[in-house]
């Protein structure tokens, strides 16, 4: 349970409307049928018209018309109510963090493990890995040897980090032979990795995820990739070998980036895009092969004009 006045003090809303002498027992989605006045909800400013149907509860929101106000509600107004809701959940409603090492976990030789960590059931951490303070590694994840993980990192379940990549060369007989991968994976601070994701070790040197990178479920990050700070790699994306991604870049679901391409800072790669050439800072690219969005849309417009004239 949280006390509303404590939430107000912590979040410092732009404006408060309604009774603040309340306790909050839970956070829920915005619900027009809700009849409890002790639950916390939020609504985006672009959907503020939904407030006219809400009669009970505490709501984090942006500015909205005065006629939507209900006597049964308390409104906390923010410029970014979604961020305020995230802070409220994190500060007041997150379950207590587990710490310790599960009995079924296997820890290799010469592994360095920080303070206040959690290592889940059937996790395997091979030799010479480093795990930073306050890091969580969930069930059935494997960290191959030499992997380095920073502080405040969250790694989900069923991941393989530091496995070998898909690197082959034809020998004198024309048969493919495997190229040994003797590098490692280095994960910065505050990185978060979902479930069922693979991050391969470099052939030489390191595959690197810089601070605050977020990786979704079912992502493949190949050998030698470097991902800049605060970038997001989202579900089912494939980042091929030796790709370099800048800072604050968004790689959308099911997109693919071919080997050795350089992706700049503040780039947006659209849904299911196939990137076959370098992308400059600030560009948005879409399609297959991926093109800068204005070019792609112009081509589509010309094609439609020819097809339907």
């Amino acid at each position: 349970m949280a006390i509303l006045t404590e939430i107000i003090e912590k979040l410092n809303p732009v404006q408060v409307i309604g009774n603040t002498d309340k306790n909050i027992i839970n956070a829920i989605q915005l619900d027009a049928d809700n009849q409890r006045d002790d639950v916390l909800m939020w609504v985006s400013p672009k959907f503020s018209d939904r407030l006219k149907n809400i009669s009970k509860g505490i709501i984090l929101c942006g500015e909205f018309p005065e006629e939507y106000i209900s006597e049964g509600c308390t409104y906390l107004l923010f410029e970014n109510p979604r961020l305020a809701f995230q802070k409220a959940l994190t500060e007041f409603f997150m379950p207590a963090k587990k710490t310790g090492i599960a009995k079924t976990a296997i820890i290799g030789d010469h592994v360095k493990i920080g303070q206040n960590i959690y290592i889940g059931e059937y996790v395997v951490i091979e030799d010479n890995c480093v795990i930073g303070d306050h890091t969580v590694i969930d069930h059935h994840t494997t960290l191959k040897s030499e992997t380095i993980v920073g502080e405040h990192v969250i790694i989900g379940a069923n991941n393989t980090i530091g496995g070998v990549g898909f690197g082959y060369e034809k020998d004198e007989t024309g048969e493919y032979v495997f190229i040994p991968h003797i590098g490692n994976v280095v994960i910065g601070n505050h990185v978060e990795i979902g479930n069922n994701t693979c991050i391969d070790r470099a052939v030489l040197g390191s595959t690197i995820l810089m601070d605050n990178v977020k990786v979704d479920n079912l992502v493949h990050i190949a050998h030698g990739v470097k991902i800049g700070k605060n970038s997001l790699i989202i579900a089912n994306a494939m980042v091929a070998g030796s790709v370099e991604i800048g800072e604050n870049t968004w790689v959308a679901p099911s997109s693919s980036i071919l080997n050795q391409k350089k992706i700049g800072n503040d780039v947006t790669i659209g849904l299911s895009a196939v990137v076959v050439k370098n992308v400059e800072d600030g560009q948005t690219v879409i399609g297959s092969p991926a093109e800068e969005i204005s070019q792609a849309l112009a081509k589509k417009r010309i094609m439609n004009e020819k097809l339907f004239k």
Side-chain angles (χ1 to χ4, degrees), residues 184-226:
N184 70 342
V185 172
V186 177
I187 295 172
N189 300 326
H190 299 281
V191 170
E192 297 182 11
I193 298 167
N195 306 306
N196 297 295
T197 280
C198 291
I199 303 173
D200 296 338
R201 67 175 52 226
V203 175
L204 302 171
S206 300
T207 300
I208 300 174
L209 278 64
M210 301 295 286
D211 293 351
N212 209 43
V213 166
K214 312 299 183 189
V215 179
D216 201 354
N217 302 328
L218 297 165
V219 169
H220 176 62
I221 297 173
H223 51 219
V225 168
K226 293 179 173 57

Side-chain angles (χ1 to χ4, degrees), residues 8 11-18 41 43 45 48 51 58-66 69 74-82 84:
I8 292 172
L11 301 183
N12 192 26
V14 174
Q15 185 180 357
V16 178
I17 302 172
M41 300 176 281
V43 64
S48 61
L51 290 173
I58 300 106
I59 306 164
L60 312 186
C61 56
E63 293 184 357
F64 62 96
E66 189 174 342
I69 293 176
T74 301
Y75 306 91
L76 310 186
L77 276 63
F78 298 90
E79 292 184 3
N80 186 345
R82 189 182 190 215

